[in-house]
Amino acid sequence: MYSKFIKMLLPLPSFIEVSFPSDEEPNVFPVTVGAYSVPCPICQEKTIRHAQTLRRFRHGYAGHIGFIWIEMAIPRHRCVACDLTFTYDFGLGIVQASSAMFRKELVRRCLGRSIADVAREYELPYTTVER
Ligand SMILES: [Zn+2]
């Protein structure tokens, strides 16, 4: 139930499971990934996961709790046919430490307001918001 609520709040692909944050870090939601397969972006053949890195990125913002972070293992895949290796972010558009959804929300907030204003509200550096 709680997981469903979080999913409503933070749109994520359906094969991603959200867990409770810890007491120490109530803004960090660990997520795990169920079964999925990723075809090679070049030849469309099957790929295998050969490594993964645990990463945190901003995925949302709630006035009373601040940033909502997602912590998840981001895999590296290798194509069995052409040997291409690539990082797969499950379509979340992770760049540095934020997802595409977070950046879109930030842009929406900037409409009709100054960048400095939004940077203050989010406690982010001016240049980060500007980008
Ligand atoms: Zn390939």
Side-chain angles (χ1 to χ4, degrees):
M1 192 56 218
Y2 178 77
S3 175
K4 264 197 192 130
F5 174 71
I6 292 300
K7 272 195 173 169
M8 216 169 66
L9 214 65
L10 299 174
L12 287 165
S14 58
F15 53 82
I16 291 183
E17 279 302 318
V18 184
S19 313
F20 280 104
S22 65
D23 289 344
E24 293 76 36
E25 298 183 296
N27 296 13
V28 181
F29 292 83
V31 306
T32 51
V33 175
Y36 70 95
S37 65
V38 196
C40 171
I42 293 184
C43 69
Q44 308 302 317
E45 285 299 318
K46 202 172 137 234
T47 63
I48 49 163
R49 186 178 66 203
H50 68 94
Q52 57 183 15
T53 320
L54 196 64
R55 288 191 51 188
R56 275 184 190 186
F57 56 91
R58 296 182 191 99
H59 191 56
Y61 184 84
H64 54 300
I65 55 170
F67 294 119
I68 294 168
W69 295 80
I70 297 289
E71 183 177 77
M72 71 184 292
I74 300 295
R76 296 274 306 162
H77 277 254
R78 182 186 293 125
C79 174
V80 295
C82 75
D83 252 7
L84 174 80
T85 61
F86 58 99
T87 300
Y88 183 58
D89 75 357
F90 304 95
L92 295 170
I94 301 166
V95 176
Q96 288 168 359
S98 69
S99 69
M101 185 190 135
F102 177 78
R103 292 193 301 277
K104 218 182 281 170
E105 169 67 17
L106 204 58
V107 168
R108 206 178 56 78
R109 291 268 195 150
C110 286
L111 296 176
R113 297 172 66 194
S114 74
I115 291 174
D117 222 32
V118 176
R120 219 175 1 254
E121 184 193 349
Y122 279 70
E123 290 170 18
L124 283 173
Y126 182 90
T127 50
T128 304
V129 179
E130 195 178 24
R131 273 200 304 274

